[in-house]
Every structure is written in C-alpha cells, then in structure tokens.
C-alpha cells in the first residue's frame, strides 16, 4: 500500500449540511448576547466544568507527555489516512461488519435511510453523535417518515424543546434546571405532574420516558469516538447508559463516523481514553465506554453497519496549515475556556461545531468562500486559551489567523477592483515607508479632533473601518503626534522643560 | 467511480505534499509504581467517589457476603461461567432469590432481563487510577446485555486483576472482544453540569473485591 498520489490533483470538495451557518457570526452573536438567561446559564456551566477539568488534569504527572503523544498520534493518522482506512475496513469487515462510504451529507443520509428501510422499521433510537447532527440525519429521516429518538439526556431536552444543541458535549448547557422541568412537563406524554427541578428527579423522568423505547428498539444509530485501524474496533464514550442500550439491545446498529476518527493502533486508545474524559467532562473516566469489533455472535446487534463520512473532511485535509483541525477529538475543552463562546453561546456559530474548534473546522470543511462561515475565523480574540486547553494541541489561534488571510484573499480575488482593505493597506505601506510621508499625514490629526466634536469620541468610522466602531467608540486623537511634539521640543534653542507632558493642551 | 474510490482519491490528493509521519513520543506512564495495597486503596477511593458500593471480601467469604447483599431480592441473572461456588450460599434457603443463568444455549430475553432485580458478574480487569472496571464478555461476565438491563449490578473483581494505569489494562485486554468499561453507576452531568448518578444503566453498582 502506498500513499503516494500519482493521479491528477483534484480540487477540494467541500461539505454540506449543518456545518454552514445561515447568518454571519456578528449578526447571530448580537441576538444571542441579548439573551441574559442564556449568558447566566453558560457562565455558570463553563466555569464549573473548567474548574473540574483543571483539577483532574493537575492530578496526572504526565499530562503534557500524554498531550504530546496524542498530538503525534493524530498527525501520524492523517499522514497515513488511506492505508489506515484500508486496514480498518479489512478488520471490521473480517468480523462481519459492513462498511459504506459517503462523499457528503446527502449520500450519508440516503445510505442510513436505505439501511433502516431494509429492516422494515420506522423508528430508531439514537446515541448522541456529532456526525449525524452535522449531516442533519434526524430531519432527513423525518422527511422520509422515520422517527429518530435522541436518547442522551441533553439531546432529549433539546429535541423535546425543538431547539438546537449549543455545546458539543452538553448540548442543553444553555438551559437551566427549571427550564428543563418546564420542557418535560410540556412535552413528555407521561410525566409526574409533581416533577421537581432537582437534576436527579429530571434524570429519573428521562429514564422512565425512554425505557420502553430502548427495550423494544430494533434499530439504533450511533456515532463513534474512535476507530482503531489495527483491530477494526469502534468506541463510544458516554455517561448515562443510553449508549450501551443503543449499542447492545437492537438487532441492527448503524454507525456514522468521520474518516478522521481513526487511531492507528489498539494501544493508542490508552492515550486518548485518558485525554478525552479529563478534558471533556472533567472526570477521571466517563461512566461507560463501549467497544465493539464487527459482529459478536450472540452478543449485541447482529446486523452491524458503518458509514464512513467525508463531507468536507478531505477539503480540510488538503489545507496544509489547517489540517490539524481534523485531529480534534470533540472534547469541548476549547469551548469551555473561550471568552467569546462563554458570552455568545453555541448557537451564534451557526454550525454543528461551535466555539474555537468550530470557528476553524466549519470554514475548513465548507470552504472559506461559504458566505456566512467566512466570518467565523474572526469570532476570536486570539487569546490562546483554547490552544492551552486542547488535549491534542491543535494550534487554533494560528489556524484562525491563517483562515482570516484566506478570507481576505478570497474576497480580493472575487472583485476585479481593489477592496477598501487593499487601498488601506496600500496607503499604510506608503505612509510607513518614509518619515516625511508620515509627517504629512500627521498634519491631519486636528481634523480627527474636529470629527470627534465636544465629547471627544468618534462613534462611527466610515467604510470597513466602521467594523471597529460597531461595538466601541474611539477617543479623539491628540492635536499633535509624538513626532511633532518631539520636533517642537528639540528645535535648536527650545528649552526642554522637565515634567512637560505630551498633550498639555488636552488636559485643559 | 465508487464513493470509496472517490474519497480515497480525494485523500491522496489532499496529502500530495506528503506530510511526514512523526515518531510518537510515549513518555507517559505505562506501568505501575504502586504496591498492591496502594492500588487497592486507590481503586476503592475512586469507586466510592463515583458512588459505587465497595466491599473488600476474602475469597472464602464471598458466598456468605453475596447472600447477605442479595437478601430480600427476588431474582437475579448470572452468566453461565460465573463460579458456581460464589452462589453456593444462595441455595437450599427458602428466602434465596431465583437464579436465572444466561448461557449460549438459553439466552434470556430482554423482557426476562427487565424483570430481574440484579445481575452478578465477574470482571476482566480494573484500573485504580481512574476507578474503571472492564468487562470483556468472558464466560464469567456474559453478554453485554445482562449487565445492562437489570437495575443493580454486583461485580466481583479479584484484587490481583487491579492495575494502576490505563496502558496496563489495554495490554491485558483483547481488542476484538466486546467490551464495557464501567466507572461507577450510570450518571449524567447534562443539567447544569451537576453529576447525578442513575440514569439508564444500572443505578446501583456494588463492587466486591476479592482479597
Ligand atoms: S479542538 Fe481540542 S480542545 Fe477543542 S474540542 Fe477539539 S480536541 Fe477538544
């Protein structure tokens, strides 16, 4: 097996589905920011989980060693992806599993639908899965007359409320307990009217609600956290036991997994099953992890399928500077530490993948030319907290900057005439190329004071500079520049007065 | 062109800069530095933290302890490979629970499993650092379904099968066996990130460690 590519290079083929925002980040963020309940819930939740993560990470003397190993394993996976996929396929198939390949969301949805139809069922139970959210499977199945029941508590809350997940790990993080209680009372067909908002009681209500579904389900749809190439093993990491129910009880199991989820060897799991739980829920280990390799006669589903999904992953892989985004193990640590996410919440990002990872992954998968996703790389202050928290050391800030560059380039390429930004940059180039150019420009400073008026602030800049003043004011510029002041003070013969301040005139 | 070929070509095209394969630095701990007693103590600490009930039982006392734990229980399920002597104190006693044996010849149905009060299984190995017990479907642990549907799981673990770190367990386990790794009873943190024990999996986890 060789990875050398000898054919014609193909243009990247981008993904579709729920990775495309429907409005720009600034627009969505403005709306979400107005929701004070959401912000309070989010602030509480992200801080709780951050503290837990720090505590359990600090417990391990070799956390950094593990991150280094994790990062290298994922880089090695991407570098050898074709061979590893073939190896995984051979092992999974040898044990009775059936593999399907899907170029994009549409194809994946069609495959899953056809597999369900073959069983004659019109209902499926689902384990929380990012991949199936990405392709919009539930909505597609509904159109085809198949009901998909989410069984993860948070997904259930979101589904019952006809809402969208706002966080990849705890999708209902934007709801507090009393809101959850209201949703249950309103939407569950059979529910104790005296239900309190204690999380334990709410969890019990979910158990009762889903129990019959689990015990009678014939078909389950899941995602997968890892696929191990050298053994053909799949892994689902979870807490509640809904995953175990779905992976064990039904006759048919259909798993949808992105092609980047592989790890080369079984023993690589020893790294990732330490990195993932501590980074995501801040636990030493999640309550349940299930592993299966194809079909086990007499134990669990006997009709086992896996849909391998591209949907823009190969496009992300083609970006030399962005491809490490595919190393993501969806732990959500970057979200929980992000000052932007903490305020806007997950909905503002539009895509299935919110937060810092979403801000790079979504545009990488859809292409930066995707109208609404092109604003995502700007949804960051580049503070770097996400990079520090990431268990596989994805340099998110660096990729954000890279994608901003791509965005500017692509917008420039679209227009024949130079953009405002081009003109500004050209102007800056001229201004900074010589001291006399700068001097000339600085003569215009008093003009700025004039614009600022009596209250000495500029509230709105023209053109694209207006982006800066959208959410902040600019103080009036001083009447002279440092260089002008220096020249005046150091004119031959001028006495340097100790204690002179630059803007004496300003203070009046 | 098939979707598979198409995707493979896309990947190969994406990798035409031939990124190098890094050597994986495995400087993390891959073996235990603890004594048996320390590992035992650590495992107990973690399990209790997860709200599991833990019992340290000398091997000879297992039948009596099991009978005590199951007092008042009307029925249990056990895998066919569970050591018979563990259940010896349950027999010939009027109040003892009915014991259903799940075997390849006689597999219990979902409804039957839903009707039993508890399941008793062995375990393959356990990781003390994370408080994780691994089941691998061996004859003393049975099919995955039997340790899932009953609301109470009594898991018997030999102290000799406790390792300290995850890599040691990975080296002991065989990937192709269907596995369930269990760290405490089922739980959720989905509501305000507050951990609540007891959702869909067994709500009570009793771990008996055989010393
Ligand atoms: S980018 Fe890193 S921190 Fe963020 S979800 Fe992915 S693995 Fe976790």
């Amino acid at each position: 097996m060789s990875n050398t590519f000898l054919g014609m290079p193909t243009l990247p083929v981008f993904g579709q589905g729920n990775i495309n925002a429907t409005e720009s980040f600034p627009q969505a963020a403005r709306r979400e920011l107005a929701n004070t309940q959401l912000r309070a819930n989010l602030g509480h939740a992200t801080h709780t989980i951050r503290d837990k993560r720090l505590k359990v990470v600090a417990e391990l003397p070799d956390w950094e060693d593990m991150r280094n190993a994790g990062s290298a394993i994922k880089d090695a996976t991407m570098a050898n992806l074709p061979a590893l996929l073939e190896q995984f396929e051979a092992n999974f198939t040898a044990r009775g599993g059936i593999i399907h390949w899907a170029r994009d969301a549409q194809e994946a949805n069609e495959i899953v639908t056809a597999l369900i139809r073959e069983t004659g069922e019109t209902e499926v139970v689902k384990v929380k899965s990012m991949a199936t959210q990405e392709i919009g499977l539930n909505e597609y199945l509904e159109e085809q007359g198949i009901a998909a029941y989410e069984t993860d508590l948070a997904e259930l809350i979101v589904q019952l409320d006809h809402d969208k997940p706002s966080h990849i790990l705890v999708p209902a993080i934007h709801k507090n307990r009393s809101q959850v209680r209201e949703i249950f009372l309103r939407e569950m067909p059979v529910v104790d009217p005296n239900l309190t908002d204690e999380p334990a009681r709410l969890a019990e209500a979910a158990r009762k609600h889903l129990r019959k579904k689990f015990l009678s389900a014939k078909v389950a749809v899941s995602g997968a956290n890892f696929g191990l190439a050298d053994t053909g093993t799949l892994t689902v990491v979870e807490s509640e036991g809904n995953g175990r129910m779905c992976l064990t009880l039904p006759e048919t199991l259909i798993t949808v997994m992105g092609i980047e989820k592989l790890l080369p060897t079984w023993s690589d799991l020893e790294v990732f099953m330490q990195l993932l739980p501590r980074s995501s829920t801040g636990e030493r280990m999640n309550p349940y992890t299930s592993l299966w390799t194809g079909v086990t006669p007499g134990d669990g589903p006997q009709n086992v399928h896996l849909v391998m999904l591209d949907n823009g992953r190969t496009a992300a892989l083609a970006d030399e500077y962005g491809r490490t985004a595919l190393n993501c193990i969806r732990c959500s640590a970057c979200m929980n530490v992000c000052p932007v996410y903490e305020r806007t919440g997950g909905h503002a990002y539009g895509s299935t993948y919110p937060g810092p990872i979403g801000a790079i992954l979504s545009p990488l998968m859809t292409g930066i030319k995707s109208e609404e996703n092109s604003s995502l790389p700007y949804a960051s202050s580049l503070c770097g907290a996400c990079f520090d928290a990431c268990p596989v050391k994805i340099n998110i800030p660096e990729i954000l900057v890279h994608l901003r560059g791509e965005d500017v380039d692509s917008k420039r390429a679209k227009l024949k005439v130079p953009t405002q930004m081009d003109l500004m940059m050209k102007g800056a180039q001229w201004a900074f190329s010589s001291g006399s150019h700068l001097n000339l420009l600085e003569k215009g400073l008093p003009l700025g004071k004039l614009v600022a008026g009596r209250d000495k602030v500029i509230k709105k800049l023209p053109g694209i500079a207006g982006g800066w003043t959208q959410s902040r004011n600019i103080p009036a510029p001083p009447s002279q520049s440092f260089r002008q002041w220096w020249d005046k003070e150091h004119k031959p013969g001028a006495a340097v007065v100790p204690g002179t301040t630059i803007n004496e005139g300003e203070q009046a | 062109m098939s979707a598979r070929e198409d995707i493979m070509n896309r990947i190969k095209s994406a990798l035409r800069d031939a990124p190098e394969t890094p050597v994986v630095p495995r400087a993390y701990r891959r073996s235990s530095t603890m004594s048996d007693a320390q590992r035992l103590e650590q495992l107990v600490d973690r399990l209790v933290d997860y709200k599991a009930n833990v019992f340290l039982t000398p091997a000879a006392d297992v039948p009596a302890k099991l009978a005590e734990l199951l007092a008042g229980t009307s029925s249990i399920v056990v895998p066919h490979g569970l050591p018979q002597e563990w259940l010896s104190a349950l027999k010939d006693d009027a109040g003892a629970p009915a014991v259903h044996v799940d075997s390849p010849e006689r597999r219990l149905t979902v409804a039957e499993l839903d009707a039993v009060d508890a399941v008793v299984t062995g375990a393959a190995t356990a990781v003390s650092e994370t408080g994780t017990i691994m089941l691998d479907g061996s004859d003393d642990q049975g099919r995955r379904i039997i340790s899932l549907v009953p609301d109470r799981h009594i898991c018997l673990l030999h102290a000799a099968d406790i390792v300290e770190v995850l890599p040691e367990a990975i080296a002991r386990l065989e990937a192709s066996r269907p596995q369930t790794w269990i760290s405490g009873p089922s739980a959720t943190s989905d509501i305000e990130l507050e951990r609540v024990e007891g959702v869909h999996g067994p709500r009570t986890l009793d771990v008996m460690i055989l010393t």
Side-chain angles (χ1 to χ4, degrees), chain A residues 388-411:
Chain A
D388 291 339
C390 179
V392 287
K393 299 178 86 164
I394 300 171
N395 193 332
I396 297 176
E398 199 177 275
I399 301 178
L400 283 167
V401 171
H402 158 66
L403 290 174
R404 289 179 187 185
E406 296 267 285
D407 174 48
V408 172
D409 285 348
S410 97
K411 296 223 164 95

Side-chain angles (χ1 to χ4, degrees), chain A residues 35-45 153 157-158 161 163 166 170-184 196-199 202, chain B residues 189-194:
Chain A
N35 185 343
T36 47
Q37 178 73 64
L38 170 98
R39 267 163 79 189
N41 295 354
L42 266 179
H44 167 72
L153 178 53
I157 295 167
V158 168
D161 198 34
D163 193 4
S166 67
V170 269
I173 197 172
H174 57 295
K175 303 248 190 272
N176 63 25
R177 59 186 73 192
S178 62
Q179 291 170 310
V180 173
R181 174 178 171 268
E182 281 160 29
I183 295 168
F184 280 9
T196 68
D197 67 1
E198 242 177 284
L202 295 169
Chain B
S189 304
D190 278 348
I191 300 167
E192 297 185 16
L193 286 162
E194 193 171 288

Side-chain angles (χ1 to χ4, degrees), chain A residues 103 207 268 270 283 310, chain B residues 6 10 26 28 195 199:
Chain A
R103 298 176 183 89
R207 177 185 169 102
D268 292 330
E270 72 194 21
E283 291 168 307
D310 178 358
Chain B
D6 234 358
R10 289 180 189 176
R26 297 199 191 257
Y28 56 86
R195 187 176 158 119
V199 198

Side-chain angles (χ1 to χ4, degrees), chain B residues 50 79 88 120 144-145 166 168 173 189 198 204 208:
Chain B
Y50 293 144
S88 55
V120 181
R144 284 171 290 171
I145 192 172
L166 185 62
E168 295 172 290
L173 291 163
S189 304
T204 308
M208 200 188 295

